[in-house]
């Protein structure tokens, strides 16, 4: 005789979790539209991603970012500058967009393993954003080489990392504060 789990190989996602995933995908989209334009624009995407993963945990945090990216991939203008489509993922900022998945995995994983505590939020967000820098900078260098203007590592770091360290530290502090305050109300 089959158990219920064997009859239903896929667990259902609770309606509440679907709502959280949808809301936070929308929050990330709105955060991506708020920006200071540079070679690689300063946006609030990392803030939205860190808050989503910090409040939703590993699985739902990563799903939220993947949903956000799939929505952009199919043509809904959710990326910075209201960008959309595969061209954005293959463009100069594509590495950061892919890196967001790993940022969410690191932040959500740390919270799932160690709990929703301020030091966990801060340290995991710093590590998550660092990993996003790695993906973004590597992709920037590849993209630059393929488009006739190869970038050196130091040049790429000066364009893609250094100008963003201080703003990202501010976003991490704000995201950590928001997660601590909102975690009492969001039970995902």
């Amino acid at each position: 005789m089959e158990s219920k789990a064997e009859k239903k190989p896929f667990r259902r996602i609770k309606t509440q979790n679907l709502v959280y995933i949808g809301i936070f995908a929308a929050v990330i989209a709105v955060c991506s539209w708020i920006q200071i334009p540079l070679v690689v624009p300063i946006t609030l995407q990392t803030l939205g991603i860190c808050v989503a993963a910090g409040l939703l945990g590993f699985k739902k945090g990563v799903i939220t970012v993947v949903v956000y990216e799939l929505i952009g991939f199919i043509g809904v203008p959710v990326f910075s500058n209201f960008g959309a489509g595969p061209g954005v993922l293959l463009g100069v900022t594509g590495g950061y967009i892919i890196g967001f998945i790993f940022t969410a995995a690191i932040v959500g994983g740390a919270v799932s393993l160690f709990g929703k505590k301020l030091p966990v939020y801060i340290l995991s967000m710093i590590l998550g954003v660092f990993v996003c820098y790695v993906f973004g900078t590597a992709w920037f260098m590849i993209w630059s080489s393929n488009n006739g203007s190869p970038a050196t590592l130091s040049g790429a770091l000066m364009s893609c990392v250094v100008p963003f360290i201080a703003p990202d530290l501010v976003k991490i502090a704000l995201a950590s504060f928001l997660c601590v305050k909102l975690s009492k109300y969001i039970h995902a």
Side-chain angles (χ1 to χ4, degrees):
M1 180 167 208
E2 292 182 35
S3 68
K4 280 187 177 183
E6 291 171 332
K7 288 181 185 178
K8 295 181 183 180
F10 300 102
R11 282 185 50 206
R12 285 188 183 174
I13 297 177
K14 293 180 182 177
T15 303
Q16 176 183 357
N17 291 334
L18 288 173
V19 170
Y20 282 141
I21 289 167
I23 288 171
F24 279 104
V27 166
I28 295 168
V30 170
C31 288
S32 75
W33 300 332
I34 302 168
Q35 68 174 318
I36 299 167
L38 296 172
V39 173
V40 177
I42 295 174
T43 68
L44 296 182
Q45 282 170 304
T46 51
L47 177 115
I49 289 159
C50 287
V51 170
L55 292 173
L56 301 180
F58 177 78
K59 183 178 176 183
K60 290 175 281 232
V62 170
I63 290 171
T64 299
V65 174
V66 169
V67 165
Y68 160 74
E69 292 181 3
L70 286 173
I71 290 169
F73 180 80
I74 64 170
V76 179
V78 295
F79 300 133
S80 67
N81 286 325
F82 297 93
V88 175
L89 293 173
L90 297 173
V92 70
T93 60
Y96 293 100
I97 296 170
I98 298 305
F100 292 154
I101 296 169
F102 296 95
T103 301
I106 290 167
V107 174
V111 169
S112 295
L113 288 172
F114 304 112
K116 296 181 176 186
K117 302 171 192 162
L118 185 60
V120 173
Y121 288 130
I122 292 170
L123 293 175
S124 66
M125 289 177 190
I126 289 170
L127 179 60
V129 170
F130 173 77
V131 169
C132 189
Y133 285 161
V134 170
F135 275 89
T137 303
W139 181 253
F140 176 82
M141 292 180 70
I142 292 166
W143 186 88
S144 297
S145 293
N146 290 339
N147 287 288
S149 57
T152 63
L153 178 58
S154 63
L157 291 173
M158 291 306 292
S159 295
C160 300
V161 176
V162 173
F164 302 95
I165 293 173
D168 282 339
L169 289 173
V170 171
K171 289 184 270 184
I172 288 167
L174 181 57
S176 298
F177 173 79
L178 288 171
C179 284
V180 167
K181 294 299 181 185
L182 294 175
S183 65
K184 301 169 194 167
Y185 306 105
I186 296 179
H187 306 288

